[in-house]
């Protein structure tokens, strides 16, 4: 085979090494599928002195990523450096030069996706980012292409492997949060700055990308309501389990009355729901569409080889398009939906209170909920002596009302502390 597509790889860490390994291991098959050999000609890293144990000659490595983008012997750029500023500059330059880009960078796409898509369109080349959402799981193409003939109404996903790993270990083994986070970092799931994972920023970026594609609109990461798992306690996990739930960090994107709502937060999820069985660092995305009904996509959402698989899939697509000199379909954002504020969310809530263990306390707590039009579905008291814990599950309520109710509970003399407030996703699947 004479034709060669020359790849410039920006970054050769966890994911970059996975890409190089797959390109080498499957070289002949990939060439046959693509119609050209895929050859890594340049690699940008910070430290060129490290022996990375990869099948690449030492001379391909450089610490100058812009030189890789601009090199004459680079036809296609794979960006796995991560972060926004440098990666954004490099991706924009590649597109300006008419070089297609494959990236795993959800942060960049969630913040600058529409602008970069426009740059790709202007350059007449592809910008592909299947690996940016849920690692190995094909979800970008299904939303952009396979479901283009349908109307997606709701997408619910476990979109972050690190937090799913932490919550699984805390739930199943009672492991301590900090210990499990260190393990996730050692296993290569966590971002360079793991607050991006545990704070829900990483999942929010992925939810923004999903919502943009699912609803043909533009949702930026900053538009996504976000809460992380830092405040989820062993007590919350234990109470959830006793009541028939697991706690998962969910990304939820839905279209309601011509508005789009996108949120990421730890959630009580019934144990019977298919997403509740998604354990360890696995991800899953549950899609509801008008004609197709319910679909579920499941797999490894992080790690070098799984993410490398999605990247190499994109590389083949983009390389084929390069050979045909015609880019693939660009995402559509023609519907320009309004964003629904979080205060207008209607869902159920779990509220955990430390209260005085005295006559009249339960009545006062119940009155406070009633005064704010939040109806209580279930209540339990635990503990005795000076203080007790009250566990409450509400009926569906408006988030704005629940928040003013929580403010009033915090000010109430009957309540020592509002310990936890988490959203409950239940009736939708019952
Ligand atoms: P790593 O930190 O493991 O790798 C980053 C690579 O970029 C390293 O090789 C590093 O060089 C290189 N690099 C960083 N800054 C520079 C610079 N200024 N100049 C040249 N090279 C530089 O990150 P990951 O591989 O984990 O992640 C890469 C991207 O993939 C991120 O956008 C991440 O969000 C995304 N992603 C990651 C997943 C995962 O499971 N890890 C899954 C899905 C997406 P050096 O090696 O010398 O330090
Ligand atoms: N840090 C991310 C996660 C990597 O834990 O899911 C995949 O995007």
């Amino acid at each position: 085979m004479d034709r060669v597509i020359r790849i410039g790889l920006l970054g050769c860490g966890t994911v970059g090494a996975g890409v190089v390994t797959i390109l080498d291991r499957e070289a002949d098959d990939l060439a046959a599928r693509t119609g050209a050999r895929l050859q890594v000609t340049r690699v940008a890293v910070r430290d060129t002195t490290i022996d990375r144990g990869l099948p690449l000659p030492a001379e391909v490595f450089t610490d100058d990523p812009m030189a890789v983008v601009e090199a004459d012997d680079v036809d296609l750029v794979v960006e796995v450096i991560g972060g926004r500023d440098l990666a954004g500059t490099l991706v924009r330059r590649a597109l300006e030069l008419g070089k297609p880009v494959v990236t795993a960078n959800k942060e960049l796409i969630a913040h600058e996706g529409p602008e970069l898509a426009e740059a790709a369109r202007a350059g007449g080349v592809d910008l592909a980012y299947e690996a940016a959402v849920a690692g190995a799981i094909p979800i970008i193409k299904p939303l952009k292409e396979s479901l283009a003939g349908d109307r997606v109404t709701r997408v619910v996903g476990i979109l972050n492997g690190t937090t799913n790993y932490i919550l699984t270990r805390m739930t199943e083994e009672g492991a301590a949060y900090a210990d499990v986070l260190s393990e996730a970092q050692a296993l290569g799931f966590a971002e360079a700055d793991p607050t991006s994972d545990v704070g829900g920023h990483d999942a929010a970026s992925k939810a923004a990308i999903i919502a943009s594609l699912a609803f043909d609109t533009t949702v930026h990461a900053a538009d996504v309501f976000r809460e992380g798992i830092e405040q989820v306690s062993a007590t919350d996990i234990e109470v959830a389990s006793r009541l028939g739930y697991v706690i998962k960090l969910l990304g939820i994107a839905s279209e309601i009355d011509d508005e789009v709502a996108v949120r990421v937060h730890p959630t009580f999820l019934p144990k019977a729901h298919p997403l509740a069985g998604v354990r360890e660092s696995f991800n899953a995305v549950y899609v509801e569409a008008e004609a197709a009904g319910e679909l579920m996509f499941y797999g490894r959402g992080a790690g070098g080889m799984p993410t490398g698989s999605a990247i190499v899939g994109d590389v083949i697509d983009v390389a084929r398009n390069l050979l045909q000199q015609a880019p693939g379909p660009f995402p559509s954002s023609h519907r320009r939906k309004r964003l629904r504020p979080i205060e207008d969310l209607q869902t159920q809530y779990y509220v955990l209170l430390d209260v005085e263990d005295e006559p009249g306390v339960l009545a006062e707590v119940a009155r406070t909920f009633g005064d704010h039009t939040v109806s209580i579905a279930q209540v339990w008291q635990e503990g005795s002596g000076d203080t007790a814990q009250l566990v409450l599950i509400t009926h569906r309520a408006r988030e704005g009302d629940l928040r003013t109710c929580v403010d009033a509970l915090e000010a109430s003399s009957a309540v020592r502390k509002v310990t936890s407030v988490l959203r409950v996703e239940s009736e939708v699947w019952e």
Side-chain angles (χ1 to χ4, degrees):
M1 189 171 296
D2 297 337
R3 299 176 97 171
V4 177
I5 298 286
R6 298 163 301 177
I7 297 169
L9 183 63
L10 305 175
C12 196
T14 304
V15 177
V19 171
V20 171
T21 304
I22 297 169
L23 287 174
D24 178 67
R25 201 172 66 186
E26 311 294 340
D28 291 343
D29 273 346
L30 298 180
R33 282 179 208 147
T34 311
R37 292 201 81 79
L38 303 172
Q39 185 190 351
V40 177
T41 46
R42 305 223 177 195
V43 182
V45 288
R46 251 183 314 228
D47 184 347
T48 55
T49 64
I50 302 174
D51 177 3
R52 294 166 197 266
L54 293 169
L56 288 171
E59 58 271 20
V60 301
F61 288 94
T62 169
D63 60 5
D64 182 353
M66 189 54 89
V68 171
V69 170
E70 294 180 340
D72 289 339
D73 62 357
V74 166
D75 306 309
L76 185 162
V77 172
V78 174
E79 184 277 307
V80 282
I81 273 187
R84 267 184 72 189
D85 295 343
L86 175 62
T89 304
L90 296 168
V91 168
R92 273 188 293 277
R93 179 67 179 141
L95 297 172
E96 189 181 275
L97 291 170
K99 298 186 184 187
V101 174
V102 174
T103 178
N105 193 330
K106 55 265 173 169
E107 193 188 348
L108 181 63
I109 297 297
H111 284 88
E112 301 176 36
E115 298 76 14
L116 294 173
E118 200 37 57
R121 200 190 293 268
V125 289
D126 290 304
L127 170 66
Y129 47 89
E130 184 64 70
V133 179
I137 303 174
I139 187 63
I140 299 298
K141 237 187 240 176
L143 289 173
K144 196 169 91 172
E145 299 176 28
S146 322
L147 286 166
D150 207 335
R151 181 175 288 269
V152 174
T153 51
R154 183 174 159 94
V155 183
V156 183
I158 293 174
L159 302 172
N160 182 269
T162 303
T163 46
N164 205 41
Y165 185 77
I166 293 172
L167 290 172
T168 303
R169 298 286 312 280
M170 286 176 74
T171 303
E172 296 181 5
E173 293 158 34
Y177 173 90
D179 294 347
V180 197
L181 174 57
S182 310
E183 273 179 43
Q185 285 177 289
L187 289 164
F189 310 145
E191 296 300 305
D193 174 5
T195 54
S196 168
D197 296 297
V198 296
H201 301 274
D202 177 78
S205 290
K206 293 164 179 170
I209 296 171
I210 282 179
S212 300
L213 294 170
F215 307 125
D216 296 303
T217 189
T218 300
V219 178
H220 287 105
D223 299 326
V224 179
F225 172 79
R226 176 193 52 79
E227 274 176 15
I229 65 161
E230 306 99 319
Q231 307 305 326
V232 175
S233 68
T235 306
D236 297 328
I237 288 175
E238 191 265 318
V239 171
S241 179
R242 235 175 327 121
L243 301 182
Y245 297 95
V246 288
I247 298 181
K248 293 287 184 191
L249 184 75
L250 295 185
I252 304 174
S254 48
E255 188 176 349
I256 316 154
D257 302 335
D258 222 31
E259 289 179 336
V260 163
V262 195
R263 53 199 165 101
V264 166
H265 49 69
T267 313
F268 270 42
L269 190 66
K271 285 180 183 169
H273 189 274
L275 287 174
V278 177
R279 299 172 57 256
E280 303 281 347
S281 65
F282 281 87
N283 284 193
V285 189
Y286 190 81
V287 179
E288 296 167 19
E290 289 209 336
E294 296 166 3
L295 304 154
M296 185 147 142
F297 302 81
Y298 169 86
R300 291 203 178 273
M305 294 299 278
T307 310
S309 161
I311 290 179
V312 175
D314 271 350
V315 165
I316 291 179
D317 251 7
V318 165
R320 285 173 178 155
N321 294 341
L322 205 53
L323 294 170
Q324 293 172 18
Q325 298 180 313
F330 291 99
S332 161
S333 57
H334 67 280
R335 289 170 73 213
R336 301 199 182 282
K337 295 273 173 183
R338 273 195 314 139
L339 286 157
R340 174 168 286 216
I342 188 68
E343 287 74 15
D344 290 339
L345 169 70
Q346 300 263 354
T347 191
Q348 289 185 266
Y349 296 86
Y350 146 83
V351 180
L352 182 65
L353 304 175
D354 280 355
V355 296
E356 305 290 339
D357 193 11
E358 286 173 3
V361 164
L362 188 55
E364 185 173 336
V365 167
R367 192 167 41 248
T368 306
F369 275 84
D371 287 349
H372 293 86
T373 59
V374 180
S375 172
I376 296 168
Q378 293 166 299
V379 60
W380 295 263
Q381 179 173 332
E382 294 180 355
S384 58
D386 283 351
T387 64
Q389 286 199 314
L390 276 186
V391 178
L392 300 108
I393 303 282
T394 73
H395 284 296
R396 269 167 81 85
R398 197 180 150 270
E399 172 106 7
D401 294 336
L402 190 278
R403 288 187 184 190
T404 54
C405 176
V406 168
D407 290 345
L409 288 167
E410 274 168 347
S412 160
S413 58
V415 176
R416 288 198 175 173
K417 193 174 171 208
V418 179
T419 313
S420 301
V421 179
L422 293 172
R423 294 162 195 85
V424 179
E425 293 288 321
S426 63
E427 74 279 16
V428 184
W429 291 297
E430 280 169 358

